[in-house]
């Protein structure tokens, strides 16, 4: 679903008890082409002052300063409640602290938000194909289970990312997921007109791995960053900005919509 928070057009999924989350779009910022307008990535070639203003606008609509990560396409997870580093090098973070805002930037890779059914523990991950194949989603869920051993009813939202009709890959990506795994192999479609190339369903692969890790029904946004002009896309534009998925746990006893 698309809606506006503050003055920012954003997208989101189903409402979850005790959790607030959304993903930004290109709209609502101050940037100029090719980073127009709400680029949130400091390492995307944009002017730092522009990114600072865009991050200020995001900060104005969330309850605390987001934990911005220096994403490196890894499977590493940081504990946002204990790690005090500025922009730690990792691709996921977890929290049990209400109001602690987690963030994952993307421009074709998948932002994935995870929580338990009662909204007691939260995780946010950046999942490109390398991180996904390396286990970033499984590692995030493991970190969440370690922080909240009694949590149950796992759920996930897979945000906007490159869609199955746009993600052309080579044999290295197929091998990373599908060697000896017939179920994963079904998410790759060979391209007869381009020998040695496949179309990969990255959101489908993420959903498969989440289900195997214990998430009963992960929700897919169904939004393709390459074909939808509302989003930044590195595959489409090469030089471009970054959106961010942001999430936080609501204070205990907060009613929906507050």
């Amino acid at each position: 679903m698309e809606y506006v928070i503050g003055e920012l057009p954003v997208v989101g999924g189903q409402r979850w008890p005790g959790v607030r989350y959304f993903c930004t779009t290109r709209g609502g910022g101050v940037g100029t082409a090719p980073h127009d307008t709400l680029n949130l990535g400091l390492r995307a070639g944009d002017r730092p002052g522009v990114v600072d203003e865009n991050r200020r606008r995001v900060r104005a609509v969330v309850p605390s300063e987001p934990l911005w990560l220096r994403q490196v396409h890894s499977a590493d997870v940081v504990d946002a409640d204990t790690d005090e580093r500025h922009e730690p090098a990792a691709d996921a973070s977890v929290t049990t602290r209400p109001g602690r805002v987690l963030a994952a930037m993307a421009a074709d890779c998948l932002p994935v938000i995870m929580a338990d059914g009662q909204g007691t523990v939260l995780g946010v991950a950046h999942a490109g194909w390398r991180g996904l194949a390396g286990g970033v989603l499984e590692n995030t869920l493991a970190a969440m289970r370690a922080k909240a051993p009694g949590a149950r009813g796992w759920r996930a939202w897979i945000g906007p990312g490159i869609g199955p009709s746009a993600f052309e890959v080579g044999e290295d990506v197929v091998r990373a997921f599908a060697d000896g795994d017939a179920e994963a192999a079904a998410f790759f479609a060979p391209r007869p007109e381009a020998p040695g190339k496949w179309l990969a369903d990255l959101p489908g692969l993420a959903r498969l791995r989440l289900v195997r890790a214990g998430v009963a029904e992960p929700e897919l946004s169904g939004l393709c960053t390459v074909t939808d002009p509302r989003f930044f896309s590195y595959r489409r534009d090469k030089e471009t900005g970054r959106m961010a998925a942001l999430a936080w746990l609501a204070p205990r006893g907060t009613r929906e919509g507050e």
Side-chain angles (χ1 to χ4, degrees), residues 155-206:
R155 57 184 68 206
W157 182 69
I158 301 169
I162 191 167
S165 67
F167 192 27
E168 183 180 88
V169 302
E171 188 177 352
D172 56 336
V173 180
V174 180
R175 286 200 307 267
F177 289 96
D179 268 3
D181 189 337
E183 197 172 8
F187 291 94
F188 293 90
R191 302 198 66 190
E193 72 280 12
K197 297 294 183 180
W198 288 258
L199 288 176
D201 183 351
L202 194 66
L205 287 163

Side-chain angles (χ1 to χ4, degrees), residues 16-257:
W16 297 350
V19 180
R20 307 289 182 266
Y21 69 94
F22 61 86
C23 182
T24 62
T25 66
R26 296 182 73 137
V30 298
T32 57
H35 302 94
D36 48 324
T37 62
L38 192 73
N39 169 40
L40 299 170
L42 281 171
R43 298 170 182 84
D46 203 355
R47 291 170 293 168
V50 170
V51 179
D52 288 344
E53 171 59 20
N54 287 337
R55 289 190 175 189
R56 185 197 67 78
R57 293 183 179 208
V58 169
R59 171 63 185 89
V61 301
V62 297
S64 65
E65 180 64 30
L67 175 62
W68 302 105
L69 303 174
R70 182 163 62 85
Q71 297 169 184
V72 291
H73 294 277
S74 71
D76 295 336
V77 183
V78 297
D79 187 332
D81 300 338
T82 60
D83 196 316
E84 297 181 355
R85 292 175 294 168
H86 175 69
E87 294 201 9
D91 285 82
S93 56
V94 297
T95 185
T96 55
R97 186 191 308 166
R100 182 63 164 123
V101 180
L102 308 183
M105 289 181 292
D108 286 337
C109 296
L110 302 172
V112 182
I113 297 170
M114 292 162 272
D116 67 305
Q118 300 303 311
T120 59
V121 62
L122 175 69
V124 174
H126 159 258
W129 77 261
R130 290 180 179 84
L132 187 62
V136 67
L137 301 185
E138 293 90 339
N139 289 358
T140 305
L141 282 163
M144 294 165 67
R145 289 183 170 108
K147 284 182 71 67
R152 298 290 184 273
W154 300 104
R155 57 184 68 206
W157 182 69
I158 301 169
I162 191 167
S165 67
F167 192 27
E168 183 180 88
V169 302
E171 188 177 352
D172 56 336
V173 180
V174 180
R175 286 200 307 267
F177 289 96
D179 268 3
D181 189 337
E183 197 172 8
F187 291 94
F188 293 90
R191 302 198 66 190
E193 72 280 12
K197 297 294 183 180
W198 288 258
L199 288 176
D201 183 351
L202 194 66
L205 287 163
R207 187 181 189 281
L208 173 65
R209 296 183 77 109
L210 286 165
V211 169
R212 289 176 172 178
V215 181
E217 295 183 2
E219 181 186 359
L220 295 169
S221 73
L223 298 170
C224 175
T225 48
V226 177
T227 59
D228 191 328
R230 292 178 298 172
F231 303 110
F232 294 113
S233 169
Y234 181 81
R235 176 69 62 114
R236 182 187 64 221
D237 300 327
K238 301 306 179 186
E239 185 177 1
T240 191
R242 302 292 185 271
M243 293 91 62
L246 299 111
W248 63 96
L249 298 173
R252 302 291 181 259
T254 302
R255 293 176 297 178
E256 192 66 52

